[in-house]
């Protein structure tokens, strides 16, 4: 699904990612854990194509294509979805307008017909209900004035609507109480399947009790310093990041 | 925050000479038109009012950027265009989008057009009389109202309006009348030859009355014209007036609208403006909150491209304690356009417990566009809550990326963001149908 080889990236001339190697097969869920500032969000932005993140070396191949050569919207239409650590507030643009544009952009790309207003409403209501997202939120402006938990839920709703092949969840658990965390995890787990892969970025092991990963990687100082099975997350919990050894 | 008023200096001889030079062609054109129309037909008080307006215009001329209130807006092109006042009424047709709106009063080049109006559905308690008819009939009642809130003295354009005063409307909503369904005013400009027109609207709401006015300023493409409109509004105690304006004048037009409202105790005046038309426009709103509990809101959006200039100038005077105002002005600027906002909030000495909020934002879609935003707070009381903010910027890259990361192409993403920017203004329109229509018009402008 995704093969990252020797990926290096800089922000403002400062190297943040210092050679990342990571391969995610279809159907797999990988977790990336690491302390604050280790480069987790930078990795997610580079994969999503944000401006200002210069790739200085290495490659990322997504379903046989050069991911890094694609425009951000093309990556999204091809099935890459980033759940933002800090979802962006867009006052004045209603959530439902935004979601309809997004869903139809992706559907057009996939050769599926656009949904009309009624069809879209039916779809979005069903998905929203499953995630405990109220109809009123759809009328509100995108993320504007949402609580932290509402923003994260809205990200998962977007993911459920866009049905990505590769979902990157950047600290989708942060700021959630345990009930909200379960709802979000259920939403993510509902999307798991043999054709879908996930990269779950988290600071805490807690989320991985609910979204059980196939592989766990520890990111530190812009490098993956350890990789292992799901038990690595528990080891991290016990020993802390300090016990993982720093990047050389 | 306190900003002292600039002392008023008398105009220099050079300035006066320049003004007179600018005014001359206009004045001559007016005098000819005035004679042609047979001024004798007007009652003596009206003739005197016009003469006084003419004299004031002669003294003032067009405002120039030497005046603080006109620093960013140069009317040179208007002065040079020599737009003689419109003569006999010109037949016109309504834009199709407006033809279905009722009740509706239509004015063509400032003159009431009965054939294009439909006032059958006017609710009881609401009367609309063409000003020409009212002045012929009702001199005593009108002579004190005309110019009460917008005096000709010291204001060249108001003076010009008084000098050319011919028609407009007297709109009254009787005390206690609830007329919240929109009443439409269509102010249509049509210019087979270059011309100007100077309508005046006199509006009053009696105590506890409620009304919604939707004003459509529109124009047919043709020769340049000047729409120089004055609107004087009295909102009596406890009354509520919502006034929504879509300024959609012809692309080559000069459009000046002066709106002044006196808002009494516990009354409210809320104004929403969408400006998409004209080559050069000045929308000036002066609101005086006269009694405790009075409140006002001004929400304005200007969409400009090409070489257009839109100037939105507002002055809110908190003349009494316990008054509130909130204001948001947004300018979307493409091409070589210039957007101007001047927003004054004045709090009179002793007017305590005031709340005032003002936000102005310019969104630049092109490198050649300019925004001049000038908030001005004059606060002479200490127990007040006034805040203001002003920003000019481009489309936010973080917002743009967020939309693109969901598969939305950059063009659509930008359009959504600009619509959202304007949406914060249009959501203030109280009437659903009107809000939807304005949103569609804004979207059409953005797509065009
Ligand atoms: N826009 C930016 N400009 C400059 N430095 C940045 C920027 N974004 C991130 N960084 C730096 O890059 C490093 C990694 O940040 P980030 O990827 O956000 O880490 P994480 O998500 O793991 O907390 C940090 O040292 C941070 O200060
Ligand atoms: Mg992060």
């Amino acid at each position: 699904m995704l093969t990252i080889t020797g990926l290096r990236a800089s922000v403002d001339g400062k190297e943040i990612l210092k050679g990342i190697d990571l391969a995610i097969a279809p159907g797999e869920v990988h977790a990336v854990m690491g302390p604050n500032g280790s480069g987790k969000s930078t990795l997610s932005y580079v994969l999503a194509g944000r401006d200002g993140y210069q790739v200085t070396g290495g490659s990322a191949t997504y379903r046989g294509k050069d991911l890094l050569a694609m425009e951000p919207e093309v990556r999204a239409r091809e099935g890459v979805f980033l759940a933002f650590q800090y979802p962006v507030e867009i006052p004045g643009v209603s959530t439902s307008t935004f979601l309809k544009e997004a869903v139809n952009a992706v559907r057009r790309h996939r050769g599926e017909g656009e949904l009309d207003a009624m069809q879209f409403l039916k779809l979005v209501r069903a998905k929203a209900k499953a995630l405990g997202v109220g109809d009123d939120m759809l009328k509100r402006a995108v993320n504007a004035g949402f609580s932290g938990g509402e923003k994260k839920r809205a990200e998962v709703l977007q993911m459920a609507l866009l049905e990505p092949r590769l979902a990157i969840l950047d600290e989708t658990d942060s700021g959630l109480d345990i009930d909200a965390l379960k709802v979000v995890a259920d939403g993510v787990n509902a999307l798991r399947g043999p054709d879908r892969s996930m990269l779950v970025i988290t600071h805490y092991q807690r989320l991985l009790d609910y979204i059980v990963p196939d592989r766990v990687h520890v990111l530190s100082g812009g490098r993956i310093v350890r990789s292992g099975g799901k038990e690595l997350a528990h080891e991290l919990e016990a020993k802390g990041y300090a016990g993982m050894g720093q990047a050389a | 925050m306190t900003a002292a008023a600039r002392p008023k200096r008398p105009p220099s001889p050079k300035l006066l000479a320049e003004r007179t030079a600018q005014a001359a062609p206009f004045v001559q054109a007016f005098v000819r038109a005035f004679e042609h129309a047979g001024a004798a037909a007007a009652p003596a008080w009206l003739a005197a009012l016009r003469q006084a307006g003419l004299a004031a215009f002669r003294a003032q001329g067009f405002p120039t950027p030497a005046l603080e209130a006109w620093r960013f807006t140069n009317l040179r092109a208007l002065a040079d265009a020599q737009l003689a006042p419109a003569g006999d009424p010109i037949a016109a047709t309504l834009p199709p989008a407006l033809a279905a709106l009722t009740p509706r009063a239509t004015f063509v080049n400032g003159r009431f057009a009965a054939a294009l109006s439909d006032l059958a559905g006017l609710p009881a308690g609401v009367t609309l009389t063409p000003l020409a008819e009212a002045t012929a009939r009702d001199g005593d009642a009108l002579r004190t109202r005309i110019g009460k809130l917008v005096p000709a003295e010291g204001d060249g354009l108001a003076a010009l309006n008084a000098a050319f005063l011919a028609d407009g409307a007297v709109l009254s909503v009787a005390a206690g009348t609830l007329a919240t369904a929109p009443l439409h005013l269509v102010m249509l400009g049509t210019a087979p030859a270059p011309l100007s027109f100077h309508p005046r609207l006199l509006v009053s709401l009696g105590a506890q009355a409620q009304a919604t006015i939707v004003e459509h300023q529109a124009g047919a493409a043709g020769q340049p014209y000047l729409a120089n409109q004055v609107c004087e509004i009295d909102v009596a105690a406890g009354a509520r007036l919502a006034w929504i304006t879509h300024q959609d004048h012809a692309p080559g037009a000069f459009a000046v609208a002066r709106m002044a409202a006196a808002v009494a105790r516990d009354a409210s005046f809320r104004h929403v403006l969408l400006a998409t038309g004209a080559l050069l426009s000045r929308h000036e709103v002066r609101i005086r909150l006269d009694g405790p509990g009075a409140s006002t809101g001004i929400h304005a959006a200007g969409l400009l491209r090409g070489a257009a200039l839109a100037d939105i100038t507002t002055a809110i005077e908190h003349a009494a304690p316990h008054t509130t105002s909130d204001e948001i002005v947004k300018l979307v600027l493409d091409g070589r356009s210039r957007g101007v906002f001047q927003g004054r909030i004045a709090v009179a000495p002793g007017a305590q417990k005031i709340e005032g909020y003002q936000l102005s934002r310019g969104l630049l879609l092109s490198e050649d566009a300019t925004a001049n935003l000038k908030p001005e707070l004059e606060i002479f009381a200490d127990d007040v809550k006034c805040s203001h903010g002003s920003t000019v910027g481009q489309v936010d890259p973080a917002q743009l990326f967020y939309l693109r990361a969901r598969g939305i192409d950059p063009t659509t993403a930008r359009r959504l963001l600009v619509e959202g920017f304007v949406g914060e203004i249009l959501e203030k329109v109280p009437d659903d149908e009107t809000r939807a229509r304005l949103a569609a018009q804004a979207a059409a402008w953005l797509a065009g």
Side-chain angles (χ1 to χ4, degrees):
Chain A
M1 178 73 68
L2 177 70
T3 307
I4 301 173
T5 311
L7 183 64
R8 309 177 84 92
S10 305
V11 179
D12 289 337
K14 180 182 160 206
E15 184 163 74
I16 310 287
L17 302 183
K18 300 173 179 168
I20 305 269
D21 295 292
L22 190 66
I24 307 178
E28 285 184 352
V29 173
H30 287 220
V32 170
M33 303 183 71
N36 279 331
S38 57
K40 303 185 298 293
S41 290
T42 302
L43 175 62
S44 72
Y45 284 143
V46 167
L47 295 176
R50 185 170 188 158
D51 274 350
Y53 291 74
Q54 301 99 24
V55 174
T56 52
S59 64
T61 306
Y62 168 70
R63 301 179 74 233
K65 293 180 194 160
D66 179 1
L67 180 68
L68 303 178
M70 296 178 204
E71 295 293 334
E73 62 274 17
V74 177
R75 299 182 200 199
R77 294 174 201 162
E78 288 281 331
V80 177
F81 180 90
L82 168 62
F84 284 57
Q85 182 177 1
Y86 302 109
V88 180
E89 299 198 8
I90 311 184
V93 178
S94 82
T95 301
S96 61
T97 302
F98 157 64
L99 292 177
K100 184 159 174 272
E101 288 287 349
V103 165
N104 280 334
V106 169
R107 289 182 66 95
R108 276 195 301 274
H109 187 75
R110 291 180 186 161
E112 301 163 357
E114 290 191 27
L115 299 182
D116 65 26
M118 286 301 286
Q119 294 166 318
F120 170 75
L121 208 63
K122 219 176 135 202
L123 174 72
V124 76
R125 283 216 173 115
K127 302 265 186 191
K129 201 171 166 210
L131 287 164
V133 172
D135 278 3
D136 66 310
M137 197 160 113
L138 302 172
K139 287 184 203 137
R140 286 159 67 189
V142 178
N143 294 320
F146 286 22
S147 70
E150 283 176 322
K151 283 181 184 169
K152 298 301 169 103
R153 246 183 255 233
E155 292 292 288
V156 178
L157 171 61
Q158 292 172 34
M159 179 170 76
L161 282 166
L162 298 178
E163 301 184 328
R165 291 197 182 91
L166 172 66
I168 304 164
L169 300 153
D170 189 359
E171 297 207 25
T172 301
D173 52 333
S174 60
L176 295 184
D177 62 32
I178 193 71
D179 293 332
L181 185 78
K182 281 181 187 162
V183 172
V184 164
D186 287 348
V188 171
N189 286 328
L191 281 170
R192 285 181 83 155
D195 303 324
R196 267 196 198 114
S197 304
M198 294 186 186
L199 185 63
V200 179
I201 295 173
T202 182
H203 188 69
Y204 305 103
Q205 176 269 339
R206 189 179 67 155
L207 177 68
L208 304 181
D209 288 342
Y210 298 96
I211 305 172
V212 180
D214 298 298
R215 298 283 293 165
V216 175
H217 310 276
V218 179
L219 188 66
S220 178
R223 288 189 175 87
I224 290 177
V225 294
R226 268 192 75 178
S227 296
K230 61 176 183 267
E231 63 288 347
L232 181 55
H234 295 282
E235 193 187 327
L236 266 178
E237 167 122 299
K239 292 188 189 166
Y241 288 112
M244 285 297 122
Q246 296 299 309
Chain B
M1 210 159 311
T2 304
R6 235 162 241 266
K8 284 198 178 81
R9 271 175 288 133
S12 69
K14 181 169 167 281
L15 197 61
L16 277 176
E18 193 184 323
R19 283 177 190 168
T20 312
Q22 281 189 4
F26 234 104
V27 172
Q28 285 155 16
F30 166 71
V31 172
R32 278 196 306 274
F34 191 81
E35 286 161 356
H36 179 75
W45 69 269
L46 184 55
L49 191 143
R50 287 175 179 161
Q51 288 294 354
L54 182 60
F57 180 59
R58 272 196 159 120
Q60 290 292 314
F62 284 107
T64 74
L67 296 168
E68 185 60 27
W70 290 84
R71 229 169 92 193
F72 304 109
T73 302
N74 194 331
L75 296 181
R76 184 93 242 174
L78 169 60
D80 289 348
Q82 302 192 16
L83 302 171
D88 296 329
I90 296 169
T93 49
L94 274 176
L98 303 180
L101 303 174
T102 58
R104 176 185 74 244
T106 302
F107 301 80
V108 177
N109 292 348
R111 288 180 185 272
F112 180 69
L116 302 182
S117 301
D118 180 351
L119 293 170
L122 219 50
V126 181
T127 55
L128 189 146
T129 313
L131 186 66
E133 201 182 303
T135 48
R137 212 171 53 195
D138 220 3
D140 277 345
L142 290 178
R143 59 198 303 177
T144 53
R145 281 183 67 192
I146 296 174
K148 190 180 84 176
L149 296 173
V150 184
E153 200 53 48
D155 180 339
L157 289 157
L160 196 61
N161 179 286
F164 291 178
L165 193 97
D167 205 355
V170 180
L171 174 61
S172 308
V173 183
T177 302
L178 301 184
T180 45
L183 162 62
H184 298 275
L185 300 180
V186 179
M187 312 302 294
L188 207 56
T190 180
L195 55 81
S196 63
F197 52 91
H198 308 267
R200 184 166 299 236
L201 306 173
L202 301 173
V203 180
S204 61
L205 265 72
Q208 311 296 332
Q210 293 187 21
T212 303
I213 311 283
V214 182
E215 181 196 6
H216 312 262
Q217 301 177 359
Q223 295 291 321
Y225 62 83
L226 163 66
N228 178 32
Q229 176 176 318
V230 173
C231 178
E232 299 177 89
I233 303 170
D234 268 303
V235 189
R240 313 177 70 81
L241 175 60
W243 188 296
I244 299 105
T245 300
H246 181 203
Q247 188 275 94
D248 190 26
H249 274 296
F254 300 91
V256 179
R258 188 70 49 89
M259 185 178 242
V263 185
R265 168 187 284 268
D266 296 325
S268 122
F269 173 68
R270 302 196 67 82
H271 181 45
V272 183
L273 167 73
L274 172 67
T276 54
L279 176 63
L280 190 158
S281 68
R282 163 95 159 193
H283 191 82
E284 191 172 318
V285 185
R286 304 188 165 273
I287 295 167
R288 208 176 61 213
L289 301 173
D290 275 337
S295 68
T296 189
I298 301 176
H299 293 91
L303 311 183
L304 289 86
R305 58 165 65 96
L309 182 151
D311 173 335
I312 296 170
T313 293
T314 67
I316 297 171
E317 192 185 338
H318 289 267
H322 296 281
T323 50
T324 59
S325 66
D326 60 296
E327 178 174 27
I328 305 178
V329 173
K330 296 198 173 184
L331 297 163
V332 177
L333 304 162
D334 205 349
R336 292 171 290 128
S337 67
R338 177 195 292 268
V340 177
F341 169 65
Q342 307 180 101
R344 199 163 70 88
I345 298 177
V347 178
Q352 308 293 6
K353 308 282 183 200
I354 300 301
E355 283 181 37
Y357 171 79
Q358 183 193 83
L359 175 68
S360 55
R361 294 184 62 191
L363 179 61
L364 304 177
L365 301 183
S366 122
E367 293 192 347
D368 299 321
T370 319
N372 299 113
L373 310 180
K374 194 179 88 175
E376 234 182 312
L377 273 65
E378 294 176 14
I379 300 175
F380 297 107
D382 46 26
D383 188 9
V384 302
K385 254 194 259 174
C386 278
S387 62
H388 71 104
S390 180
T391 61
V392 179
Q394 288 150 354
V395 168
D396 179 355
Q399 294 180 340
L400 192 58
F401 174 65
Y402 189 73
L403 297 179
R404 294 179 70 186
R406 298 297 178 250
I408 300 171
D409 67 88
T411 307
T412 305
R414 268 198 198 86
R415 179 176 58 72
L416 286 174
L417 291 177
V418 178
E419 275 179 32
F421 183 78
V422 175
E424 208 188 350
I425 301 300
L426 300 184
E427 73 188 20
K428 303 291 181 184
V429 174
D431 175 61
D432 290 346
E433 234 173 86
T434 305
R435 188 182 329 110
R437 204 172 37 249
L438 287 193
Q441 275 153 336
W445 186 93
L446 292 168

